[in-house]
């Protein structure tokens, strides 16, 4: 079987190389070399992350009842232009069967799990919960994060708990992300916590590698799977972004969405999501944008 981790001919393996090759020989599914980023690349992603966090801070300062989600898109676009950055979502093509994403940001309200499209007719009401998900490209480097907002600051106890527990799931997933351990430990930890509340952990979408492209390996599942999954090693950059439904984990694409993007919980109960871009270090994860 062809080895995934290889050194260039004539180049002496480093201790880092030797450790990965040893673990691969022991049966670990190791990353390929391009997934382990150098200091210059990591610094570029970190700078992108500063802008990305600023975008979400600007949304947080403005969000209110009576605001429509197109206004959120306008805020994101204006912040990007002011900081010489580009929104990765705008015009993004997922596959040949789905039209390009038409806006700069995803705004997913209540039962919309993810990929909600900003619209003037989507007016926020007090008590709504909304996920705002933004990805920045700065100087070719990508960073990706999302936050939940409770519109007006107050909602039902059930929605408030969902938002809180989903953030706890992200934090627990981050704690479970260990250097030199498999990525699947993240999903096991998240599902264990969500199960305490009888919530559904969405399986159809996942976290992902990010940084030099919008989406790369590894896939970061948020539910329990067999095996260890890809080995996480220092220098890898990826997202953890659990989508937690109040009811079933199953989802569907909104038939009324002409773009074919909006994902809704199958039973149309509320859903929540939080996301960070993370750098794996020798001591655990470092948050690059939130």
């Amino acid at each position: 079987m062809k080895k995934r981790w290889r050194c260039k001919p004539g180049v002496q393996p480093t201790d880092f190389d030797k450790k990965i090759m040893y673990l691969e020989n022991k049966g670990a599914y190791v990353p390929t070399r391009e997934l382990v980023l150098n200091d210059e690349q990591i610094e570029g992603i970190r700078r992108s992350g500063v802008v990305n966090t600023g975008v979400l801070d600007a949304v947080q300062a403005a969000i209110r009842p009576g605001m429509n989600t197109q206004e959120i898109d306008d805020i994101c676009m204006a912040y990007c232009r002011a900081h010489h950055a580009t929104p990765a979502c705008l015009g993004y093509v997922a596959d040949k069967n789905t039209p390009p994403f038409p806006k700069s940001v995803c705004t997913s309200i209540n039962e919309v799990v993810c990929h909600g499209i900003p619209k003037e007719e989507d007016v926020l009401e007090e008590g709504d919960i909304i996920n705002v998900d933004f990805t920045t490209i700065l100087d070719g480097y990508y960073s990706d994060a999302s936050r939940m907002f409770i519109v007006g600051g107050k909602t039902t106890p059930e929605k408030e708990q969902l938002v809180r527990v989903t953030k706890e799931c992200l934090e627990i997933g981050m704690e479970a992300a260990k250097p030199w351990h498999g990525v699947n430990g993240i999903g096991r930890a998240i599902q264990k916590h969500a199960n305490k509340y009888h919530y559904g952990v969405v399986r159809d979408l996942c976290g992902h590698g990010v940084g030099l492209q919008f989406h790369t390996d590894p896939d970061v599942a948020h539910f329990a799977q067999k095996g260890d999954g890809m080995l996480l090693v220092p220098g890898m950059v990826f997202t953890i972004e659990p989508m937690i439904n109040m009811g079933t984990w199953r989802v569907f694409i909104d038939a009324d969405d002409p773009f074919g993007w909006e994902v809704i919980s199958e039973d149309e109960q509320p859903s929540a999501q939080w996301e960070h871009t993370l750098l794996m270090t020798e001591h655990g994860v470092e948050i690059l944008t939130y």
Side-chain angles (χ1 to χ4, degrees):
M1 181 182 293
K2 190 175 182 180
K3 295 295 185 182
R4 289 175 58 81
W5 191 267
R6 297 187 297 277
C7 296
K8 293 180 179 179
V11 176
Q12 187 70 19
T14 64
D15 289 342
F16 184 81
D17 291 323
K18 291 175 182 177
K19 185 169 185 177
I20 293 179
M21 290 188 290
Y22 170 79
L23 292 169
E24 185 172 21
N25 287 334
K26 288 288 186 179
Y29 183 61
V30 304
T32 53
R33 186 175 288 276
E34 62 267 20
L35 296 179
V36 180
L37 308 184
N38 61 40
D39 290 344
E40 180 181 351
Q41 292 167 331
I42 291 166
E43 186 56 35
I45 300 165
R46 186 177 280 113
R47 290 194 302 270
S48 175
V50 170
V51 175
N52 202 74
T53 298
V55 170
L56 293 176
D57 286 346
V59 172
Q60 184 165 333
I63 201 163
R64 67 191 187 281
M67 181 184 212
N68 67 60
T69 54
Q70 179 57 50
E71 293 176 81
I72 296 175
D73 188 80
D74 294 341
I75 289 168
C76 296
M77 284 296 299
Y79 194 97
C80 267
R81 290 194 188 101
H83 293 82
H84 311 290
T86 303
C89 285
L90 183 62
Y92 176 73
V93 178
D95 57 63
K96 63 182 181 181
N97 298 316
T98 306
F101 195 82
K103 299 291 182 176
S104 73
V105 63
C106 301
T107 51
S108 304
I109 305 169
N110 296 328
E111 73 276 6
V112 180
V113 176
C114 62
H115 303 160
I117 297 173
K119 310 176 188 71
E120 290 184 357
E121 57 266 33
D122 280 351
V123 178
L124 300 179
E125 299 180 2
E126 185 164 349
D128 283 341
I129 59 173
I130 180 173
N131 177 265
V132 179
D133 187 344
F134 196 81
T135 303
T136 295
I137 311 171
L138 181 69
D139 300 327
Y141 295 106
Y142 292 72
S143 58
D144 187 4
S146 79
R147 298 182 196 172
M148 291 299 300
F149 300 104
I150 295 174
V151 180
K154 187 176 182 180
T155 190
T156 65
E158 292 81 9
K159 286 185 181 178
E160 187 280 329
Q161 178 178 273
L162 177 66
V163 171
R164 173 178 55 81
V165 170
T166 303
K167 190 172 187 181
E168 291 169 359
C169 284
L170 169 59
E171 293 164 348
I172 287 166
M174 289 167 53
E175 291 173 5
K178 306 288 187 186
W180 308 107
H181 288 70
V183 69
N184 286 354
I186 296 170
R188 281 192 288 271
I190 288 172
Q191 181 153 32
K192 182 178 180 181
H193 188 63
N195 284 352
K196 295 176 184 177
Y197 298 87
H198 307 288
Y199 290 157
V201 182
V202 173
R203 301 184 180 190
D204 300 75
L205 303 114
C206 62
H208 52 88
V210 69
L212 305 187
Q213 301 175 53
F214 198 166
H215 301 100
T216 68
D217 287 337
D219 287 345
V220 182
H222 303 114
F223 62 98
Q225 296 190 104
K226 293 180 180 179
D228 295 329
M230 185 180 288
L231 189 74
L232 297 174
V233 305
M236 294 176 72
V237 177
F238 54 93
T239 70
I240 301 177
E241 47 183 294
M243 286 150 273
I244 309 297
N245 294 347
M246 192 178 288
T248 179
W249 61 265
R250 292 181 172 84
V251 298
F252 68 94
I253 301 292
D254 184 4
D256 294 327
D257 172 18
F259 294 96
W261 276 98
E262 294 193 339
V263 179
I264 297 176
S265 60
E266 186 180 76
D267 54 11
E268 300 191 25
Q269 291 199 67
S271 182
Q273 178 189 19
W274 293 84
E275 176 184 13
H276 294 344
T277 291
L278 305 163
L279 167 67
M280 180 56 73
T281 76
E282 286 285 3
H283 308 290
V285 294
E286 174 190 340
I287 299 171
L288 298 183
T289 185
Y290 59 90

